[in-house]
Amino acid sequence: VKARLQQMIRSRFDDFLRVLRTHQNAEGTISLLECEVTLSSSTFKFSVSCNEDGTFVAYCDEASVMAASSSSSTDSHTAMEWVLQLSDFGMSGECKSLTALLQFGHSRWRAALSAPAGSSCPPDEEAPKDPDVGLVMHLDLGIAAFHRREFREAVDFLSEALDRSV
């Protein structure tokens, strides 16, 4: 499954991400993808939970994103924004398949690469604007859910703290 998925990503989506591991449920369908993607100059890991209700939740460990992009708080902000947009689309009800999620992620990845230095991913016209759609992140102590506004405030706060410490 991993090899077929990676081949599809390579042929249809410019090989924009690498599948590190796949997990399957008892029925043999993909339940979790562990991946890595490079945005700007930083490569970071993230996961996608493929839920039984047909939704997809993208998440990452914020500490690993910060470590991967230690040279630039802009890189970490761009990476977290990309994961947030991916998760928003996956939970929106508009995303009907893993292929659709990958296509959306690819288009946002290309937009992030072409964005001017110092800016994050451009706002997404395709994903819903529901402020209650959140991002779920794995932490050492469990899973925490953030509303979009709270997440952005946390990212901005951490970005400012990193800028001050440099």
Side-chain angles (χ1 to χ4, degrees):
V1 173
K2 176 184 166 187
R4 286 189 315 208
L5 188 57
Q6 194 63 52
Q7 176 58 36
M8 180 189 67
I9 292 166
R10 187 175 300 114
S11 66
R12 292 177 66 182
F13 304 120
D14 302 325
D15 207 17
F16 85 104
L17 66 82
R18 188 166 74 97
V19 177
L20 302 174
R21 194 170 299 122
T22 61
H23 301 269
Q24 295 176 288
N25 60 22
E27 291 83 35
T29 59
I30 296 174
S31 59
L32 180 71
L33 291 175
E34 296 177 22
C35 307
E36 70 179 11
V37 67
T38 301
L39 284 167
S40 300
S41 59
S42 303
T43 300
F44 70 97
K45 294 178 182 174
F46 71 100
S47 298
V48 175
S49 174
C50 307
N51 302 321
E52 291 180 14
D53 65 358
T55 60
F56 303 89
V57 179
Y59 57 91
C60 58
D61 177 6
E62 187 175 4
S64 68
V65 171
M66 295 300 211
S69 56
S70 59
S71 63
S72 168
S73 63
T74 301
D75 286 355
S76 62
H77 180 76
T78 300
M80 297 300 285
E81 182 71 18
W82 182 82
V83 171
L84 177 62
Q85 290 178 1
L86 194 65
S87 191
D88 282 354
F89 180 68
M91 295 295 292
S92 70
E94 295 176 25
C95 181
K96 303 297 183 196
S97 67
L98 183 56
T99 303
L101 185 75
L102 292 173
Q103 184 173 3
F104 177 85
H106 178 252
S107 70
R108 304 315 308 150
W109 172 79
R110 288 179 62 87
L113 291 180
S114 64
S119 68
S120 63
C121 292
D124 174 30
E125 296 82 23
E126 301 171 54
K129 305 299 184 211
D130 183 352
D132 292 329
V133 174
L135 171 72
V136 178
M137 296 172 47
H138 271 259
L139 304 172
D140 289 337
L141 302 175
I143 296 176
F146 294 91
H147 288 296
R148 177 182 275 263
R149 180 181 39 77
E150 293 168 345
F151 174 78
R152 288 179 195 258
E153 289 171 359
V155 168
D156 290 343
F157 173 80
L158 291 171
S159 294
E160 289 171 13
L162 283 171
D163 289 343
R164 284 193 301 265
S165 68
V166 173

